[in-house]
Amino acid sequence: MVSPKNKTILINKEAYGTFVLIQNQILGKFNRLMNEQEASIAEKTGYFQNEPMPYAFTFAPFGKRNQEVIQNIKNGQKIDLLLDDKIIGHIKAESSFLLKNPTNSIFRARDLMIPYEKKVGKYAISGEFEIYKDNLKDILKSVRSRTKNAKKITALMLTADPMNRLHERLIRLTIDKADIVIIFLVRTFGNDGRLSFALRREILEFFISKYINKDRIILIPFENTYLFSDHINPVLECIAAKHFGATKLVVGQKHGGIGVYYDNNTQNTILDKYADELDMELIVMPEMVYCTDCRTIVSTKTCPHGAHHHIKYSAHTIKELLFNGIMPPAILVRKDISAMILSKLFPNRFDDLQKMYDDLFPNNGLVEEHSRAEFYEQLMNLYQTSSLT
């Protein structure tokens, strides 16, 4: 219920996710909304209170109603935050001010594809805030409990869209040299041609429980924020990993935005400076491919065979197969993972799945019920039968 005593500001799920990150000090130790002077320092220097801060913590929500509330606030006034008609938190207002540099606000860091006039309001509100429903607080507490005795904690940011053999190799290589690996599962921007966050999380949890020592993996679902989508600003990834306790961050050579360059034959990235300041080790993984001669996943740096022997792990191509109902080769995606995806993408694909199952696959003569995922797995087994091929 909306309180008749307090004014309200309407927010969306993305803003809610950003509030939660700030509240838990994942983006820095500073954990309130900046005033005009504080924002100016962060915008001019890229730092605040001796911490890297690529975006100022300024909040200027779009909408006539929101802007009217902000322009008429009083110092100390309680402003309720409303999400889907429910009060999920409040701001203890300090001041309002004209936002001079909206492109540098943390609340619109991922709004580049939204028309400018719908992205942000003109006036920002500063002050302390509280979000009542905060699942991240419990996650953070659990992470710190599990990592308190660990010395080497390595972080990975993955979309796993879809989870493929390259992701598996990356996780295995990382866990070999770490006490704990923190995997941040991040949202993908847009809906077309993308697997849902819920499905990607289900697949990653399945993979960890079946194929990896799960006691050494911590999965953090960044479900309510787009700040880490498509690796828009790798500095944010470095900061977030640090505040979760990571001592290392693994990124790919083609990781968006890291800007790999060479100086005196030494590989460098724009993240090196921030990693040093945050006392973190940055590990840049080379490009990996499947080599038809080596018959395994290899680094393009170490493989002696040419590109004409290399199969790339293109997420777009793998999804193109899946969305057209075709199982990718097992060298690209595990058959049980492909089966999980296809069973969700095509839930009503066959008129009589049981009959097809009985006709195609051996059975013990008893009537057995089988899932759609089992059907795809068994079908892949038939594809791999070699005596008649």
Coordinates of all heavy atoms in Angstrom, one line a residue, residues 169 253 286-313:
R169 N 35.7 -24.7 -20.4 CA 37.2 -24.7 -20.3 C 37.7 -23.5 -19.5 O 38.6 -23.7 -18.7 CB 37.7 -24.6 -21.8 CG 39.3 -24.6 -21.8 CD 40.0 -25.7 -21.2 NE 39.7 -27.0 -21.8 CZ 40.4 -27.5 -22.8 NH1 41.4 -26.9 -23.3 NH2 40.0 -28.6 -23.4
Q253 N 40.5 -12.0 -24.1 CA 41.2 -11.1 -24.9 C 40.3 -10.2 -25.7 O 40.6 -9.0 -26.0 CB 42.2 -11.8 -25.8 CG 43.1 -11.0 -26.7 CD 44.1 -11.8 -27.5 OE1 44.8 -12.5 -26.9 NE2 44.1 -11.7 -28.8
P286 N 43.7 -15.7 -23.6 CA 43.8 -15.6 -25.1 C 42.6 -16.2 -25.8 O 41.7 -16.8 -25.2 CB 45.0 -16.5 -25.4 CG 45.1 -17.5 -24.3 CD 44.6 -16.8 -23.1
E287 N 42.5 -15.9 -27.1 CA 41.3 -16.4 -27.9 C 41.4 -17.9 -27.9 O 42.5 -18.5 -28.2 CB 41.3 -15.8 -29.3 CG 40.2 -16.3 -30.1 CD 40.2 -15.7 -31.5 OE1 41.2 -15.0 -31.9 OE2 39.2 -16.0 -32.3
M288 N 40.3 -18.6 -27.7 CA 40.3 -20.1 -27.7 C 39.4 -20.6 -28.9 O 38.4 -20.0 -29.1 CB 39.8 -20.6 -26.4 CG 40.5 -20.1 -25.2 SD 42.2 -20.7 -25.0 CE 41.8 -22.3 -24.3
V289 N 39.8 -21.7 -29.5 CA 39.1 -22.3 -30.6 C 39.2 -23.8 -30.5 O 40.0 -24.3 -29.7 CB 39.6 -21.8 -32.0 CG1 39.4 -20.3 -32.2 CG2 41.1 -22.2 -32.1
Y290 N 38.3 -24.5 -31.3 CA 38.5 -25.9 -31.4 C 39.3 -26.2 -32.7 O 39.0 -25.7 -33.8 CB 37.1 -26.6 -31.5 CG 37.3 -28.1 -31.6 CD1 37.3 -28.9 -30.5 CD2 37.4 -28.8 -32.8 CE1 37.4 -30.3 -30.5 CE2 37.6 -30.2 -32.9 CZ 37.5 -30.9 -31.8 OH 37.7 -32.3 -31.9
C291 N 40.4 -26.9 -32.5 CA 41.3 -27.2 -33.7 C 41.0 -28.6 -34.2 O 41.0 -29.6 -33.4 CB 42.7 -27.1 -33.3 SG 43.9 -27.6 -34.6
T292 N 40.7 -28.8 -35.4 CA 40.3 -30.1 -36.0 C 41.5 -31.0 -36.1 O 41.4 -32.3 -36.2 CB 39.7 -30.0 -37.4 OG1 40.6 -29.2 -38.2 CG2 38.4 -29.3 -37.3
D293 N 42.7 -30.5 -36.1 CA 44.0 -31.3 -36.0 C 44.3 -31.7 -34.6 O 44.7 -32.8 -34.3 CB 45.1 -30.5 -36.7 CG 45.2 -30.9 -38.2 OD1 44.2 -31.4 -38.7 OD2 46.2 -30.5 -38.8
C294 N 44.3 -30.7 -33.7 CA 44.6 -31.0 -32.3 C 43.5 -31.8 -31.6 O 43.7 -32.5 -30.6 CB 44.8 -29.7 -31.5 SG 46.2 -28.7 -32.0
R295 N 42.3 -31.7 -32.2 CA 41.1 -32.4 -31.7 C 40.8 -32.0 -30.3 O 40.3 -32.8 -29.5 CB 41.2 -33.9 -31.9 CG 41.5 -34.3 -33.3 CD 41.6 -35.9 -33.4 NE 40.3 -36.5 -33.1 CZ 39.3 -36.7 -33.9 NH1 39.4 -36.2 -35.1 NH2 38.2 -37.3 -33.5
T296 N 40.9 -30.7 -30.0 CA 40.6 -30.2 -28.6 C 40.5 -28.7 -28.7 O 40.8 -28.1 -29.7 CB 41.6 -30.7 -27.6 OG1 41.1 -30.3 -26.3 CG2 43.0 -30.0 -27.8
I297 N 40.1 -28.1 -27.6 CA 40.1 -26.6 -27.5 C 41.5 -26.1 -27.2 O 42.2 -26.6 -26.3 CB 39.2 -26.2 -26.4 CG1 37.7 -26.6 -26.7 CG2 39.3 -24.7 -26.2 CD1 36.7 -26.3 -25.6
V298 N 42.0 -25.2 -28.0 CA 43.3 -24.7 -27.9 C 43.3 -23.1 -28.0 O 42.4 -22.5 -28.4 CB 44.2 -25.2 -29.1 CG1 44.4 -26.7 -29.0 CG2 43.6 -24.8 -30.4
S299 N 44.4 -22.6 -27.6 CA 44.7 -21.1 -27.7 C 45.2 -20.9 -29.1 O 46.0 -21.6 -29.6 CB 45.7 -20.7 -26.7 OG 46.2 -19.4 -27.0
T300 N 44.7 -19.8 -29.7 CA 45.2 -19.4 -31.1 C 46.7 -19.1 -31.0 O 47.4 -19.1 -32.0 CB 44.4 -18.3 -31.6 OG1 44.4 -17.2 -30.7 CG2 43.0 -18.7 -31.9
K301 N 47.2 -18.7 -29.8 CA 48.6 -18.4 -29.6 C 49.5 -19.6 -29.7 O 50.7 -19.5 -30.1 CB 48.8 -17.6 -28.3 CG 48.3 -16.2 -28.3 CD 48.7 -15.5 -27.0 CE 48.4 -14.1 -27.0 NZ 48.8 -13.4 -25.7
T302 N 49.0 -20.7 -29.2 CA 49.9 -21.9 -29.0 C 49.6 -23.0 -30.1 O 50.5 -23.8 -30.4 CB 49.6 -22.6 -27.7 OG1 48.3 -23.0 -27.5 CG2 50.0 -21.6 -26.5
C303 N 48.5 -22.9 -30.8 CA 48.1 -23.9 -31.8 C 49.0 -23.7 -33.1 O 49.0 -22.6 -33.6 CB 46.7 -23.9 -32.2 SG 46.2 -25.1 -33.4
P304 N 49.7 -24.7 -33.6 CA 50.6 -24.5 -34.7 C 49.8 -24.6 -36.1 O 50.4 -24.3 -37.1 CB 51.5 -25.7 -34.6 CG 50.7 -26.8 -34.0 CD 49.8 -26.1 -33.0
H305 N 48.5 -24.9 -36.0 CA 47.7 -25.1 -37.2 C 47.0 -23.8 -37.6 O 46.8 -22.9 -36.8 CB 46.7 -26.2 -37.1 CG 47.3 -27.5 -36.6 ND1 47.1 -28.0 -35.3 CD2 48.2 -28.3 -37.1 CE1 47.8 -29.1 -35.1 NE2 48.5 -29.3 -36.2
G306 N 46.8 -23.6 -38.9 CA 46.2 -22.4 -39.4 C 44.7 -22.2 -39.0 O 44.0 -23.1 -38.5
A307 N 44.2 -21.0 -39.3 CA 42.8 -20.7 -39.0 C 41.8 -21.6 -39.8 O 40.7 -21.8 -39.3 CB 42.5 -19.2 -39.4
H308 N 42.3 -22.2 -40.9 CA 41.4 -23.1 -41.6 C 41.1 -24.4 -40.9 O 40.3 -25.3 -41.3 CB 41.9 -23.4 -43.0 CG 43.3 -23.9 -43.1 ND1 44.4 -23.1 -42.7 CD2 43.8 -25.1 -43.4 CE1 45.5 -23.8 -42.9 NE2 45.2 -25.1 -43.2
H309 N 41.8 -24.6 -39.8 CA 41.6 -25.8 -38.9 C 40.8 -25.5 -37.7 O 40.6 -26.3 -36.9 CB 42.9 -26.5 -38.5 CG 43.7 -27.1 -39.6 ND1 43.3 -28.3 -40.2 CD2 44.8 -26.7 -40.3 CE1 44.2 -28.7 -41.1 NE2 45.0 -27.7 -41.3
H310 N 40.5 -24.2 -37.5 CA 39.9 -23.7 -36.3 C 38.4 -23.5 -36.4 O 37.9 -22.9 -37.4 CB 40.5 -22.4 -35.9 CG 42.0 -22.6 -35.5 ND1 42.8 -21.5 -35.3 CD2 42.7 -23.7 -35.2 CE1 44.0 -21.9 -35.0 NE2 44.0 -23.2 -34.9
I311 N 37.6 -24.0 -35.4 CA 36.2 -23.8 -35.3 C 36.0 -22.8 -34.1 O 36.4 -23.1 -33.0 CB 35.5 -25.1 -35.0 CG1 35.7 -26.1 -36.2 CG2 34.0 -24.9 -34.8 CD1 35.1 -27.5 -35.9
K312 N 35.4 -21.7 -34.4 CA 35.2 -20.7 -33.4 C 33.9 -20.9 -32.6 O 32.9 -21.4 -33.1 CB 35.1 -19.3 -34.0 CG 36.5 -18.9 -34.7 CD 36.5 -17.5 -35.2 CE 37.8 -17.1 -35.8 NZ 37.8 -15.7 -36.3
Y313 N 33.9 -20.5 -31.4 CA 32.7 -20.6 -30.5 C 31.9 -19.3 -30.6 O 31.9 -18.5 -29.7 CB 33.1 -20.9 -29.1 CG 33.6 -22.3 -29.0 CD1 34.9 -22.7 -29.4 CD2 32.8 -23.3 -28.5 CE1 35.3 -24.0 -29.3 CE2 33.2 -24.7 -28.4 CZ 34.5 -25.0 -28.8 OH 34.9 -26.3 -28.7

